[in-house]
Amino acid sequence: MANPRGILLDIEGTTSSISFVHDVMFPFVLQRLEAFLHAHADRADVLQTCEQIARDAGFDSLAAWQRQFPDQSTAELVQAEVRRLMATDVKATGLKALQGLIWQGGFDSGLLQSHVYPDVIPAIQHWWTLGCDVRIYSSGSIAAQKLFFGHVAGLGDCLHLFSGHYDTTSGNKKERESYLTIARDWGMQPHEILFISDIAGELQAAQGAGVRVLGSVRPGNAPLPAELEVECITSFDQVPLV
């Protein structure tokens, strides 16, 4: 089979360890959430993100949310909702945007540096020499993705290796239509794209759209179900390109 024209990559459990995301990045947000909201309550991007969190919570607007709970401030409402969403690992658009805003301070200050598996960057560099266009699809916001790959530990800025980024604004990663949306945006047929992820539901959705897939098996990942009929890799060195 011919090499794919495009390679679409997940982040957590694929290019980076689950433990880094859950043990470093998520706690960073929770530890700074209250102070961030109080310090930046009037910032336009923070207000816009809080509006999205309100809509994700089922309200028409932030004002409507506040009318429903008049005894709580905006910061208190947002904090409670963010903690609830993170406790249940909900991939909500507003939550991911707010996480990205908080992570920006960590990356800009040097407190955060991204973990990326050592096989990832050399493989992506090689794929480009083979004519493959490489992009990211993550539940994390596009802004957070760019921060992540712009601050890789030991390597620095690796953003030049990606020609595009997709997040939940392109659709849920476990829905077939999301991959069709991405293919249209990319200007490719689904079968021309290879998607690599560690999540069975994402792989199945991509397959349903006609996208080629590989399962990512990394330390700490949940096992992929035996009935899932996909080829699996433990390193990007094993991606079958010639």
Side-chain angles (χ1 to χ4, degrees):
M1 185 178 293
N3 284 347
R5 289 180 57 208
I7 298 180
L8 188 64
L9 300 174
D10 173 46
I11 295 179
E12 181 185 338
T14 301
T15 63
S16 179
S17 70
I18 288 176
S19 62
F20 175 75
V21 175
H22 285 263
D23 298 342
V24 177
M25 295 192 71
F26 287 174
F28 188 92
V29 169
L30 292 172
Q31 291 162 8
R32 290 160 176 80
L33 177 61
E34 182 176 1
F36 178 87
L37 288 172
H38 283 294
H40 304 288
D42 296 328
R43 257 174 53 182
D45 54 350
V46 175
L47 286 170
Q48 183 179 4
T49 299
C50 290
E51 286 283 355
Q52 182 61 55
I53 291 172
R55 290 193 294 272
D56 292 341
F59 296 90
D60 292 337
S61 66
L62 186 58
W65 194 15
Q66 290 178 302
R67 284 195 297 272
Q68 185 74 22
F69 300 96
D71 58 331
Q72 296 185 57
S73 67
T74 297
E76 289 171 336
L77 287 171
V78 171
Q79 283 181 62
E81 182 65 2
V82 165
R83 293 183 188 279
R84 184 188 72 82
L85 293 170
M86 291 185 68
T88 51
D89 199 24
V90 176
K91 313 295 188 183
T93 300
L95 166 67
K96 296 302 179 181
L98 182 60
Q99 287 174 333
L101 293 176
I102 296 173
W103 286 327
Q104 182 174 358
F107 282 116
D108 288 349
S109 68
L111 289 173
L112 284 177
Q113 289 188 313
S114 303
H115 165 268
V116 172
Y117 288 113
D119 56 272
V120 168
I121 299 302
I124 294 173
Q125 291 169 330
H126 176 60
W127 297 343
W128 276 107
T129 69
L130 299 176
C132 297
D133 181 325
V134 185
R135 303 189 180 194
I136 295 291
Y137 183 26
S138 173
S139 59
S141 68
I142 290 173
Q145 295 173 30
K146 291 181 176 181
L147 284 169
F148 190 94
F149 287 105
H151 300 82
V152 177
L155 296 174
D157 189 351
C158 295
L159 272 177
H160 62 283
L161 295 174
F162 305 97
S163 64
H165 299 261
Y166 301 99
D167 61 11
T168 55
T169 60
S170 293
N172 188 300
K173 292 182 73 180
K174 294 183 179 180
E175 294 180 359
R176 170 182 174 273
E177 184 60 35
S178 304
Y179 299 88
L180 297 175
T181 297
I182 288 172
R184 286 193 294 268
D185 179 80
W186 210 333
M188 294 189 186
Q189 295 299 313
H191 70 268
E192 296 178 307
I193 299 170
L194 170 66
F195 176 54
I196 306 176
S197 173
D198 64 309
I199 303 298
E202 296 175 5
L203 296 168
Q204 289 171 325
Q207 278 185 319
V211 171
R212 295 152 64 176
V213 300
L214 286 173
S216 174
V217 179
R218 300 283 194 175
N221 287 10
L224 290 168
E227 62 271 18
L228 183 68
E229 296 183 359
V230 300
E231 182 180 349
C232 292
I233 58 170
T234 58
S235 167
F236 281 8
D237 300 336
Q238 299 165 354
V239 174
L241 304 182
V242 294

